[in-house]
Amino acid sequence: MSTQAPHNTLLIPGPIEFDDAVLQSMAHYAESHVAPGFVKVFGETLTLTRKLFQSTSPSAQPFLIAGSGTLGWDLVSANLVEKGENALVLNTGYFGDSFGQCLQTYGANVTQLRTPVGERHSLEQVEQALREKKYKVLTITHVDTSTGVLGDIKGVTQLVRRVSPDTLVVVDGVCSVGSEEIKFDEWDLDVVVTASQKAIGCPPGLSIVYTSGRAINVAQTRQSPPGAYYASIANWLPIMQNYENNKPSYFATPPTQLIHALHTTLSQITARPISERFDIHTQVSNKVKAAVAELGLKQVASNPDAQAHGMTAMYLPEGLTPPDVLPGLLKRGVIFAAGLHKEIATKYIRFGHMGVSVTDPGRNDVDKALAALKEALSEAKQAKGL
Ligand SMILES: Cc1ncc(COP(=O)(O)O)c(C=O)c1O
């Protein structure tokens, strides 16, 4: 039995439902951020983050910083790109637009490589773009939360290493880390930017950034000073290294309770082979996608190879908009998200199926949501005479 107050089930693509133990970690008593007890927990949390990324490379470096996923974009833009350098953004929706804006804010010369809504890039298209210009960084959204499109981060990275080996591969994994497989070292990634509140299953408030030795070297050898103070790799690197070596250190106050919560969730996640976690997300996603098809709904992500496993973005039947359906879901205790991609926002809704809603056999969130969706749709159609 959950110890949480009764509430509607939050099944948006993040934030997600919490495990009781994770939530209880937020109630940790006050402690100094430089006291031995907290230093140990922070250090262990950094080490657990390495496991989450299936990474053992000593030159890879995790960063855990108070902030949201967006702070990771600032960290990349302020440290890895200098004014006037080229950045290629593989854009599969809303979050590609915003990452591009962030890069531009710090002076990068951004090329947006867009796809039709619901599609991902072909490797040929990316290769052509890479051959046109020298890019300092390429960014790819692993799961674009506005479309549910899954990027081919492994294939794109292999391509970059063949065609433009010095280009840094930066993955926006805010909506993928914890639900989609990532082998950081094996796939030779440079940066994965994520946040605490989605498939990692922790309350919002932590920016989690995982970097390669190559990326750190680029940050350390840049010609101009980093473009930010709080988001400076030079300022945070010794802090993270010290904590992982069990030494207190200070640049800006860490969110101590959130670090406890992250420690709890990462301990749970890494207690079992991580491949099992990805398998269960895939199985549940297949079930959701089959049920959605049975209801006659099309997915925004059209190609099955490019569909996320932690969320489903589905078009509503012609004549219905999100406000026709979402209240019917809420009445049945289920919260989905409305559309976000500006070209199609009024035509679709989003169902997040990540974390405990998927992995905890004691919950029936997904079945409850599918039953509620069926009823809410039929009610909405009836109300509109469809
Ligand atoms: C793919 C993606 N990138 C970046 C962000 C920004 O993260 P945050 O809202 O935590 O700043 C989000 C948020 O939903 C996201 O889904």
Side-chain angles (χ1 to χ4, degrees):
M1 269 298 276
S2 171
T3 54
Q4 298 171 39
H7 60 282
N8 295 312
T9 310
L10 188 61
L11 294 169
I12 63 175
I16 65 165
E17 286 289 322
F18 303 125
D19 176 76
D20 285 351
V22 174
L23 209 49
Q24 281 153 11
S25 305
M26 291 294 289
H28 198 279
Y29 56 81
E31 66 189 331
S32 161
H33 53 290
V34 288
F38 178 71
V39 172
K40 179 170 179 287
V41 169
F42 199 165
E44 285 174 7
T45 311
L46 286 158
T47 304
L48 288 167
T49 306
R50 295 180 186 274
K51 280 191 164 182
L52 178 69
F53 288 98
Q54 305 192 63
S55 170
T56 54
S57 164
S59 62
Q61 180 62 50
F63 292 84
L64 304 174
I65 306 177
S68 72
T70 303
L71 177 60
W73 296 343
D74 283 79
L75 210 79
V76 167
S77 308
N79 295 280
L80 302 183
V81 191
E82 301 197 42
K83 281 203 172 65
E85 287 182 332
N86 296 324
L88 179 63
V89 174
L90 304 192
N91 185 320
T92 46
Y94 178 94
F95 291 97
D97 291 349
S98 333
F99 200 167
Q101 282 166 15
C102 182
L103 283 156
Q104 260 163 357
T105 304
Y106 290 89
N109 178 26
V110 174
T111 301
Q112 287 277 4
L113 193 63
R114 294 174 197 280
T115 52
V117 176
E119 290 180 24
R120 74 176 177 195
H121 303 81
S122 69
L123 293 179
E124 293 70 33
Q125 196 185 359
V126 180
E127 176 158 359
Q128 201 187 342
L130 285 172
R131 290 194 185 281
E132 276 164 18
K133 255 190 224 172
K134 178 87 193 143
Y135 287 101
K136 184 71 173 293
V137 298
L138 169 148
T139 75
I140 173 167
T141 317
H142 198 186
V143 170
D144 193 290
T145 322
S146 72
T147 55
V149 169
L150 177 71
D152 176 9
I153 64 171
K154 183 180 175 193
V156 165
T157 309
Q158 277 171 350
L159 173 69
V160 171
R161 294 296 170 241
R162 181 166 58 78
V163 177
S164 181
D166 296 337
T167 300
L168 296 175
V169 176
V170 175
V171 176
D172 178 341
V174 173
C175 194
S176 71
V177 174
S179 59
E180 306 288 349
E181 172 153 79
I182 298 181
K183 293 184 170 170
F184 189 89
D185 298 350
E186 195 182 312
W187 295 355
D188 205 12
L189 306 174
D190 287 304
V191 182
V192 179
V193 165
T194 191
S196 47
Q197 76 273 17
K198 299 201 199 242
I200 292 173
C202 184
L206 275 174
S207 165
I208 301 168
V209 179
Y210 204 79
T211 55
S212 67
R214 186 167 38 221
I216 294 292
N217 188 45
V218 166
Q220 286 176 328
T221 54
R222 55 182 287 134
Q223 303 294 308
S224 53
Y229 181 68
Y230 185 69
S232 158
I233 285 184
N235 286 339
W236 282 113
L237 182 63
I239 308 299
M240 299 299 145
Q241 288 173 336
N242 283 342
Y243 271 107
E244 209 172 354
N245 289 323
N246 218 14
K247 289 193 205 123
S249 202
Y250 173 75
F251 163 56
T253 308
T256 44
Q257 278 65 21
L258 268 172
I259 297 290
H260 276 283
L262 184 64
H263 185 276
T264 303
T265 194
L266 291 183
S267 301
Q268 291 173 344
I269 290 173
T270 57
R272 305 187 64 79
I274 198 144
S275 58
E276 280 181 18
R277 184 174 181 87
F278 303 132
D279 288 347
I280 180 117
H281 278 84
T282 302
Q283 281 162 29
V284 172
S285 174
N286 290 344
K287 173 174 158 171
V288 169
K289 286 164 173 67
V292 161
E294 185 110 328
L295 291 171
L297 306 181
K298 283 209 177 81
Q299 284 180 61
V300 175
S302 42
N303 173 357
D305 289 341
Q307 290 168 349
H309 300 100
M311 65 169 288
T312 303
M314 61 196 99
Y315 284 112
L316 293 170
E318 194 78 23
L320 293 185
T321 61
D324 297 320
V325 179
L326 296 180
L329 282 160
L330 185 59
K331 206 163 71 182
R332 293 167 174 87
V334 171
I335 303 172
F336 279 12
L340 180 61
H341 193 294
K342 60 181 183 302
E343 284 176 41
I344 53 168
T346 57
K347 298 186 176 159
Y348 77 109
I349 55 174
R350 295 172 298 146
F351 173 7
H353 32 85
M354 309 172 214
V356 285
S357 289
V358 168
T359 57
D360 182 347
R363 304 178 70 112
N364 73 338
D365 296 352
V366 171
D367 288 338
K368 175 177 154 186
L370 290 174
L373 178 62
K374 189 173 179 184
E375 288 173 20
L377 273 176
S378 111
E379 197 173 74
K381 281 196 213 161
Q382 244 180 355
K384 290 262 166 168
L386 297 172

